[in-house]
Amino acid sequence: MLPTTMHAAEVTVAVRHIANWPRERSEIVPADCWSSAPRVVFRLPALRRAVPVCRSLARAWLDGQHIHDDDTRYLMLLVLSELCTNAIQYSAGTRFTCRIWRSKDLLHIEVHDRGGSASVPRVRHPGGEQEHGRGLELVALSSACWGRSVEADSGCTVWAALPLTAGVHRPTTP
């Protein structure tokens, strides 16, 4: 059973479900659940353990959208991980929201947090000896474009658009 509240293409994961999140993708979402959902929204607790949960949900959506190209999937999951991790690390909020959708040639990722930090998302160029600070540089290098906006609720939204490649297969209609 899916440990979330799910309404069409929106999933809300509660804190108590994070530790027991299913290990198998088949336990998360039925294979054809999001085949007709070009846009999904995931609401998760601002916990580090929520990042792999968000990736699992995103993989299930990619499967439903027939996006099988390994390069596209890898870049999408990398960018998603970086944006979610930043939202958790730099926000004072208890939850974050991830939105994923596709347009004709692009895959869009948007992560919104409730703000509360004086830190502004920006690309840094840390030295080789520094362990942190490369996340948005990876996002910038992996994306066709990316950006950020400060919202009226004092939150922050960071977004990225990645090119879809030839590995995307649309199902044929009889």
Side-chain angles (χ1 to χ4, degrees), residues 38-84:
R39 180 183 184 97
V40 288
V41 178
F42 307 137
R43 291 180 179 85
L44 297 117
L47 302 170
R48 284 186 186 179
R49 297 183 320 261
V51 177
V53 172
C54 193
R55 278 195 309 263
S56 293
L57 290 167
R59 274 190 210 95
W61 180 79
L62 288 167
D63 291 345
Q65 294 295 303
H66 304 282
I67 299 173
H68 301 295
D69 177 70
D70 288 337
D71 292 337
T72 300
R73 290 172 73 92
Y74 175 81
L75 287 178
M76 189 271 205
L77 295 170
L78 172 71
V79 168
L80 177 75
S81 295
E82 292 300 333
L83 296 182
C84 290

Side-chain angles (χ1 to χ4, degrees), residues 1-16:
M1 177 188 242
L2 184 66
T4 63
T5 303
M6 201 166 139
H7 300 287
E10 292 190 23
V11 177
T12 300
V13 178
V15 173
R16 67 183 181 278

Side-chain angles (χ1 to χ4, degrees), residues 111-170:
V111 175
H112 175 77
D113 64 56
R114 301 302 268 171
S117 170
S119 178
V120 175
R122 62 182 172 82
V123 174
R124 296 184 182 139
H125 303 285
E129 68 284 349
Q130 292 179 312
E131 291 184 32
H132 303 286
R134 292 175 181 78
L136 287 178
E137 185 174 18
L138 285 172
V139 169
L141 293 171
S142 302
S143 306
C145 55
W146 78 280
R148 62 176 162 40
S149 60
V150 177
E151 307 298 330
D153 66 358
S154 299
C156 179
T157 300
V158 182
W159 58 269
L162 295 97
L164 283 169
T165 63
V168 177
H169 304 287
R170 296 188 188 272

